[in-house]
Amino acid sequence: MLTRKLEINEVLNNQQIREIFLCSSQGGMRKSNRTNSLTLISDKTKLYDDRIIGDIYHYTGMGQSGDQKMKGQNLTLAESNQNGVEIHFFEVLKPKEYTYRGEVQLAGEPYQELQKDRDGRQRMVWVFPLRLLNSKAKFTKTSSTEGDVKELKEEFLSIQQVENLPIEQTEKERLMKARIGQGKFKKMLIQRECKCALCGVTDKRMLIASHIKPWKFATNEERLDVHNGLLLCPNHDNLFDKRLISFNKNGEIAISLTIAMTDRTFMNINERMRIVLSEKQRSYMENHYINLI
């Protein structure tokens, strides 16, 4: 039990958090056995790529270097719907100011994705989808997040206009793919990881932004979702687009039996290749995988 009740949107300093929660004064995830609580701090002035999609906060777990492990505070948060630990959430928009948003709970299963660590190296992190318990409380959507969504919507509106052109369907698809591959959707994929997901090519001019669930079958929400995207080099994008290659839930490649062994060599694909998929990407990939030609 906390030493005193907190008001939604109340601003505290670090010392006050320590005294109220009887927890450490350091770190973004602070466990206290004395108050049976886990305090989460999303510091938007620091490292992690936390983001808000709808009313769900996607909170990056603990660990600044190397791959994050499902242990310690990460495990406590992952099991919080069963272990009885209260989860309290703060946002830091200005240095040394901690704004209380209230209690949160897991809104879905934790998933993994690639982010950069404090040394700029790509690593796997755990991301926890969180929902506020108080319906009157709100997370703070940063202008950059809102701006990204606005740009994506404007980009896809122009792509939808192509769909209405009186031209052949194959030409429509070519033009639409070209626009997707040059705009905001590609830029956001590059920000996540600038390389072909399969072979590692890093030249931006050679990278193509592909929707895992194709544009023509996707809802507007799925078209906007960067998790429904892969960066691939031209060779591998062509194979993926034609469903001649796909990936299972572990990211292991599946190659169509219609591709000859010599062509596999020329196209730089083999049975040992794999990619890293987040939990959301896996859900998009399922249909693609079962429809391999």
Side-chain angles (χ1 to χ4, degrees), residues 35-228:
T35 58
N36 194 35
S37 66
L38 178 64
T39 303
L40 304 181
I41 297 171
S42 180
D43 192 340
K44 293 180 171 61
T45 69
K46 297 287 181 66
L47 171 71
Y48 298 120
D49 183 24
D50 294 345
R51 57 196 176 276
I52 304 168
I53 302 174
D55 62 347
I56 304 301
Y57 203 106
H58 294 258
Y59 180 83
T60 305
M62 186 172 68
Q64 295 189 354
S65 294
D67 293 341
Q68 291 182 351
K69 307 298 183 183
M70 183 54 77
K71 63 180 183 179
Q73 320 299 37
N74 288 339
L75 185 59
T76 298
L77 181 54
E79 297 177 344
S80 57
N81 285 346
Q82 294 84 38
N83 60 22
V85 174
E86 292 183 358
I87 311 299
H88 295 265
F89 193 88
F90 287 84
E91 290 182 316
V92 179
L93 304 175
K94 297 180 181 179
K96 300 181 180 180
E97 291 186 4
Y98 300 78
T99 303
Y100 183 61
R101 298 305 185 203
E103 286 189 61
V104 295
Q105 65 180 15
L106 282 175
E109 291 295 321
Y111 61 92
Q112 290 182 288
E113 69 177 27
L114 285 168
Q115 289 186 25
K116 290 184 178 179
D117 68 10
R118 64 184 177 188
D119 299 314
R121 293 189 292 263
Q122 291 289 346
R123 49 74 178 267
M124 293 297 293
V125 300
W126 281 101
V127 181
F128 301 86
L130 304 173
R131 178 185 289 111
L132 287 160
L133 292 181
N134 189 325
S135 60
K136 296 181 180 180
K138 300 291 182 184
F139 295 121
T140 301
K141 291 189 176 182
T142 63
S143 58
S144 60
T145 299
E146 294 172 346
D148 287 344
V149 172
K150 182 180 178 181
E151 284 188 58
L152 277 175
K153 287 181 176 179
E154 291 174 350
E155 176 179 313
F156 289 160
L157 181 61
S158 71
I159 295 170
Q160 286 176 315
Q161 292 171 352
V162 174
E163 290 181 298
N164 299 322
L165 293 176
I167 58 178
E168 294 291 330
Q169 184 62 30
T170 53
E171 180 64 10
K172 285 184 185 181
E173 291 178 1
R174 186 189 68 79
L175 290 173
M176 289 161 57
K177 191 169 182 65
R179 292 198 182 189
I180 293 170
Q182 296 169 0
K184 183 64 179 180
F185 191 74
K186 178 179 178 179
K187 290 177 182 177
M188 293 179 70
L189 287 174
I190 285 174
Q191 288 173 358
R192 189 169 65 188
E193 186 174 33
C194 184
K195 70 176 184 178
C196 171
L198 189 57
C199 69
V201 166
T202 58
D203 191 322
K204 295 178 184 178
R205 297 169 298 176
M206 300 180 191
L207 296 175
I208 299 173
S210 293
H211 276 87
I212 300 171
K213 185 175 184 179
W215 172 274
K216 60 184 177 181
F217 299 126
T219 65
N220 285 334
E221 184 178 359
E222 290 169 337
R223 292 170 176 177
L224 290 168
D225 189 357
V226 178
H227 292 284
N228 186 24

Side-chain angles (χ1 to χ4, degrees), residues 240-257:
F240 185 77
D241 191 51
K242 289 181 168 62
R243 294 182 182 257
L244 294 171
I245 62 171
S246 190
F247 305 92
N248 66 17
K249 64 181 181 180
N250 297 318
E252 297 164 339
I253 195 170
I255 303 173
S256 171
L257 296 177

